[in-house]
Amino acid sequence: MLNQPRELDGVFHALADATRRQIVERLSRGPASVSELAEPLEMSLPAVLQHLQVLEGSGLVRSSKVGRVRTCHVETAALRTAERWMCERRATWERRLDRLGEFLAAGDPAKKAKKRSKS
Amino acid sequence: MLNQPRELDGVFHALADATRRQIVERLSRGPASVSELAEPLEMSLPAVLQHLQVLEGSGLVRSSKVGRVRTCHVETAALRTAERWMCERRATWERRLDRLGEFLAAGDPAKKAKKRSKS
């Protein structure tokens, strides 16, 4: 069936929240400390840390601590896995539409056969 | 900030479950009745209907009833919205890496200036 179903569960769950998407959006522009990430968000630091925990759990974000500063960065591999899943679904759907288009362009085979027998 | 945050919440939440992804996968190959969708899934029909409700709520799936048969099909617009969001994050990240690469390829400007003043 699917590759890495657990990984996909985690990534999609992490992205199902506007605050967490905002964090990923910020980190895609470059690494940031926890306090830099918290600054534009209207919530307490513990709430931000909880969101970061979900993001780290999903593999979308990694962090490292140097001294008292924890710096976060985005992990594009997890984002890519989810993007690939979506892209594959869309490709299957578009191939189906292409085949349908070709079928319609070729015309109704029954009608064509009738036409040929008349000429 | 983000376009359609509510829509994205719903789509990502709907996709954060392996059964619901399996349903989307099946429907990307073509429309199917509820019983056709339920067949490969090891769960009760009410459980399948609940998953379909989440998928319909997110806009990923639409269904219509003719007589006693409810037929479902995938709505690629919602899938595209989520895919676009991911693609944009990745593009931002890759542009950042490109700029970093250019900076490194150009070498350290301070060192270059020193070299020029010597020659």
Side-chain angles (χ1 to χ4, degrees), chain A residues 46-70:
Chain A
V48 175
L49 287 169
Q50 252 181 334
H51 281 306
L52 278 171
Q53 212 171 353
V54 175
L55 286 165
E56 287 207 55
S58 75
L60 276 168
V61 166
R62 291 275 172 266
S63 75
S64 54
K65 207 171 178 177
V66 177
R68 292 177 68 180
V69 178
R70 178 166 293 281

Side-chain angles (χ1 to χ4, degrees), chain A residues 90-106:
Chain A
R90 195 170 42 82
T92 307
W93 172 254
E94 284 173 352
R95 271 198 303 276
R96 195 187 147 257
L97 286 190
D98 283 350
R99 281 199 305 272
L100 193 65
E102 280 165 21
F103 175 80
L104 293 175

Side-chain angles (χ1 to χ4, degrees), chain A residues 111-119:
Chain A
K111 270 190 188 167
K112 277 198 166 181
K114 213 172 167 184
K115 220 172 176 181
R116 267 198 302 275
S117 69
K118 274 187 181 173
S119 61

